[in-house]
Amino acid sequence: MPTVTVSPGGTATTTLTVRNDGDIVEAYTLEVVGDCAAWSTVEPARVSLYPGTSETVTLTFAPPRSHEVRAGETPLAVRVLPVEHPESVVVPEGTVTVEPFHELRTELEPRRRRGWLGARFRTAVQNKGNTPVDVAFTGRQAGEELRLGFTPGQKRLEPGESAEIRLKVRAAKLIWFGEPVTWPFEVEAAEVVAPVEAPVAVAAGSGETVRPEAVRPETVRPETVRPETGGVEAVRPEPVPGEFLQLPVLPKWLLILLAALLALLLAWFALVRPAVKSTAKQAVTEAAQEEAARGEQQQGAPTPGGPDDPTGGQGQGTGPDAPGTPGGTGGSGTGPGTGSGPGGTGAGGTEQSSATIDVETNAGIEGVGTYKVPAGKVFGITDIVVANFQGDEGVLTISFGERKITTIALETFRNQDYHWVTPIQVPENATVTAAVTCAKPGTPATGTQASGCHQVINVSGVLSDLAR
């Protein structure tokens, strides 16, 4: 049989003549065997012949356009089997030449990535042709903002073989602030022509061997060559698009935040800080002036209880444990209490004065301590200091005359003070009362629990003459 040439995806035919050289009528079945049997047919596949006659059958070859059908020569055999005499089987042989075709399939994963300066992609390429090829990878970008590098830059692929190439995209410079920028680019995988070495020649007359330089490999991007025109069929690979989204180093929201912080800092140094310094300076000045005025007043005031104020420090009262104690009265309850009379300095019928009420009582018992305003005087109270130095538990109630000022739990404090800008006026013969209900004696600094509750209340203010 003659050699047949066929292109993948196309068809080719040849003929085979079957002759009956026997002496009886014979039927013959024809079947293509070998590597090309899957894509070959015989028409007709069965013939009946009288002795001495012949018939021509047609062989059709239609290899698929697939990498599974390798380019090159493929053995061809047709088995002719007589039905009556199967031992006389004949297998004529030939050759089918499958033409090569080139097809590359390229994919880029992912198609889009983001980064500050660069990103990494994966380029997957598969040889869909039926002949081995050397593939070179190139990248294009409409500008000089990106640099594209492939690892490896060239790869040899057998028919049907796939490979994954690493692609690194890097921007020429950073974007410090502003909007993100999208850089499009294209990736292409193309066949590389192997270097062709020219034949060795001998220079005439000299006997020297001349070896021309080999032709360097080139990247081929051929257009499709159709089988009808002859030649190797190759499909130019389509470039695969990709994008690199370059992000600014300083995002927009960070710039807004920095601007806001800078504005707050400027406002602090320009407005708030001077106001704070001015307020603090004014407070210090006022405190110094008040202290100076108080010192001058104390220097010109008579000493209570001295020759200029014989009534100073006098008090009266009764109590079970401190009868007749000057300046205070004993407790009206079952616990002891003492009070000391006013002391201080003043001029013109007005003097700074303070009194101390000392209340001691046992657990479960209420103790009361009082201070009585002297006759002819009015006590303007501005400050109260309460000392719970043992850490007792219970309730303390402070009253000015008939007016209850406060009720506090002893366990909530060790030292407590109250101040009034406008003095609370307590009239003559009225009492300042401190009532203590002892729930549990505390433990003072000595570390030994006290046997009873003990509170000290200091009341201070202005003691002035009563207008008559």
Side-chain angles (χ1 to χ4, degrees):
M1 288 187 296
T3 300
V4 182
T5 302
V6 62
S7 297
T11 59
T13 60
T14 189
T15 60
L16 177 67
T17 301
V18 181
R19 181 180 176 82
N20 183 4
D21 291 333
D23 53 0
I24 62 172
V25 177
E26 186 67 86
Y28 300 91
T29 59
L30 296 94
E31 180 184 5
V32 179
V33 294
D35 294 339
C36 57
W39 36 271
S40 302
T41 58
V42 182
E43 287 291 338
R46 181 185 177 94
V47 294
S48 296
L49 298 177
Y50 288 100
T53 61
S54 63
E55 185 174 344
T56 300
V57 296
T58 302
L59 301 176
T60 303
F61 307 99
R65 187 181 176 86
S66 169
H67 61 84
E68 296 179 354
V69 181
R70 300 290 292 265
E73 295 183 351
T74 302
L76 168 65
V78 180
R79 181 171 57 195
V80 183
L81 179 64
V83 176
E84 299 295 333
H85 300 281
E87 69 278 2
S88 301
V89 61
V90 178
V91 183
E93 297 181 351
T95 302
V96 178
T97 301
V98 180
E99 293 183 339
F101 75 95
H102 299 275
E103 182 180 346
L104 295 175
R105 177 173 297 176
T106 309
E107 294 182 358
L108 183 66
E109 296 180 358
R111 290 292 184 93
R112 178 185 174 94
R113 273 201 167 175
R114 62 179 63 191
W116 288 333
L117 190 59
R120 296 182 183 273
F121 297 80
R122 297 187 306 275
T123 305
V125 60
Q126 182 182 15
N127 181 10
K128 303 288 289 184
N130 63 351
T131 183
V133 293
D134 291 316
V135 183
F137 302 92
T138 57
R140 298 195 301 271
Q141 192 248 343
E144 298 182 355
E145 293 84 5
L146 297 180
R147 293 194 297 271
L148 291 83
F150 295 88
T151 306
Q154 186 171 329
K155 182 76 174 178
R156 182 172 181 82
L157 298 176
E158 296 295 326
E161 184 181 0
S162 300
E164 188 173 277
I165 309 300
R166 296 187 297 273
L167 169 61
K168 184 177 181 180
V169 177
R170 186 177 179 86
K173 58 182 180 179
L174 287 170
I175 299 177
W176 288 102
F177 50 84
E179 297 293 334
V181 179
T182 300
W183 304 112
F185 62 90
E186 291 182 346
V187 173
E188 184 175 4
E191 181 184 354
V192 176
V193 177
V196 178
E197 188 173 313
V200 177
V202 178
S206 63
E208 295 181 357
T209 301
V210 180
R211 187 180 298 275
E213 293 183 359
V215 180
R216 293 185 178 181
E218 297 180 354
T219 301
V220 181
R221 297 188 181 93
E223 300 294 339
T224 301
V225 180
R226 300 187 179 277
E228 293 81 3
T229 62
V232 178
E233 183 181 1
V235 178
R236 180 175 181 175
E238 293 292 334
V240 181
E243 286 185 349
F244 171 56
L245 179 63
Q246 188 175 8
L247 302 175
V249 177
L250 303 177
K252 188 175 181 180
W253 64 265
L254 181 59
L255 296 179
I256 296 175
L257 179 61
L258 291 177
L261 292 177
L262 181 59
L264 290 175
L265 189 62
L266 293 176
W268 166 262
F269 282 103
L271 301 175
V272 179
R273 186 180 180 186
V276 171
K277 292 176 65 177
S278 177
T279 303
K281 185 176 181 181
Q282 182 179 357
V284 170
T285 303
E286 291 178 355
Q289 293 176 352
E290 183 179 350
E291 187 67 25
R294 182 176 298 178
E296 293 177 357
Q297 185 178 8
Q298 290 179 353
Q299 290 177 0
T303 302
D308 295 332
D309 188 12
T311 63
Q314 298 297 319
Q316 52 181 318
T318 60
D321 294 331
T325 302
T329 63
S332 61
T334 59
T338 61
S340 61
T345 61
T350 301
E351 60 183 11
Q352 293 290 331
S353 181
S354 64
T356 300
I357 303 174
D358 196 316
V359 182
E360 294 185 48
T361 183
N362 295 324
I365 302 175
E366 183 185 62
V368 178
T370 61
Y371 160 71
K372 184 177 182 181
V373 179
K377 299 288 184 177
V378 176
F379 195 13
I381 299 177
T382 57
D383 304 279
I384 294 179
V385 178
V386 182
N388 180 20
F389 55 91
Q390 295 184 161
D392 302 328
E393 297 181 11
V395 178
L396 169 64
T397 302
I398 300 176
S399 304
F400 296 167
E402 300 297 329
R403 180 181 179 183
K404 180 184 293 185
I405 300 301
T406 184
T407 298
I408 53 178
L410 295 176
E411 57 268 20
T412 61
F413 71 95
R414 283 296 183 104
N415 290 284
Q416 184 76 19
D417 57 299
Y418 299 89
H419 308 279
W420 293 271
V421 176
T422 302
I424 299 178
Q425 303 294 331
V426 182
E428 62 176 344
N429 298 324
T431 58
V432 177
T433 305
V436 177
T437 300
C438 181
K440 178 182 177 182
T443 302
T446 59
T448 303
Q449 186 175 7
S451 58
C453 295
H454 187 186
Q455 274 67 48
V456 178
I457 300 93
N458 181 271
V459 183
S460 60
V462 179
L463 187 65
S464 57
D465 295 334
L466 181 64
R468 297 293 184 181

